[in-house]
Amino acid sequence: MSDGKTYRGNCFCGAVAFTVTGEPAAMGYCHCTSCRHWSASPVNAFTLWPPGNVKVTRGADQIGTYHKTDISHRKWCKQCGGHVFTDHPGFQLIDVYAAVIPDFPFRPGVHVNYAETVLPIRDGLPKMKDLPKEMGGSGIQLPE
Ligand SMILES: [Zn+2]
Ligand SMILES: [Zn+2]
């Protein structure tokens, strides 16, 4: 599945840089209130990676972290405030925001937490009410 290709990403100012390698475990859009509130945007495009596939190459000491819940440790650059990723330690996955790895071919496969949407997107992809069962959700799909 993985071709081992590496893509570079960085924060808004460039003080924090990192790479992702191979293929993510999942890609899609999260509509949850927490993602929307933290990112100040109507939807969050995510790519979920095993921690070993994500490497910080510059500015590790410039990464700030905040966790309102144990599920999501949200990370940003202390210099510019730009968001970089969210660590989900319970899932052993890191969400690297699609917007910060512009050369990576983002191929969304699912919408999650669609029950909370403020921006319905009729793209034909599955719409999970909350999360898939394997991530502790109900696994229920909603109509678009
Ligand atoms: Zn920055
Ligand atoms: Zn979310």
Side-chain angles (χ1 to χ4, degrees), residues 56-71:
V56 175
T57 54
R58 185 170 64 232
D61 60 333
Q62 294 304 310
I63 299 175
T65 205
Y66 176 77
H67 64 285
K68 195 181 211 176
T69 71
D70 287 337
I71 297 169

Side-chain angles (χ1 to χ4, degrees), residues 6-79:
T6 293
Y7 299 89
R8 292 169 196 279
N10 54 260
C11 68
F12 191 52
C13 76
V16 175
F18 48 89
T19 59
V20 292
T21 300
E23 283 288 322
M27 297 184 245
Y29 301 100
C30 185
H31 295 254
C32 86
T33 306
S34 291
C35 280
R36 289 192 280 106
H37 203 163
W38 192 62
S39 65
S41 68
V43 65
N44 179 45
F46 66 81
T47 68
L48 290 171
W49 303 79
N53 295 45
V54 180
K55 285 194 174 56
V56 175
T57 54
R58 185 170 64 232
D61 60 333
Q62 294 304 310
I63 299 175
T65 205
Y66 176 77
H67 64 285
K68 195 181 211 176
T69 71
D70 287 337
I71 297 169
S72 300
H73 294 236
R74 297 172 188 273
K75 317 257 182 187
W76 71 92
C77 168
K78 291 178 189 171
Q79 298 284 320

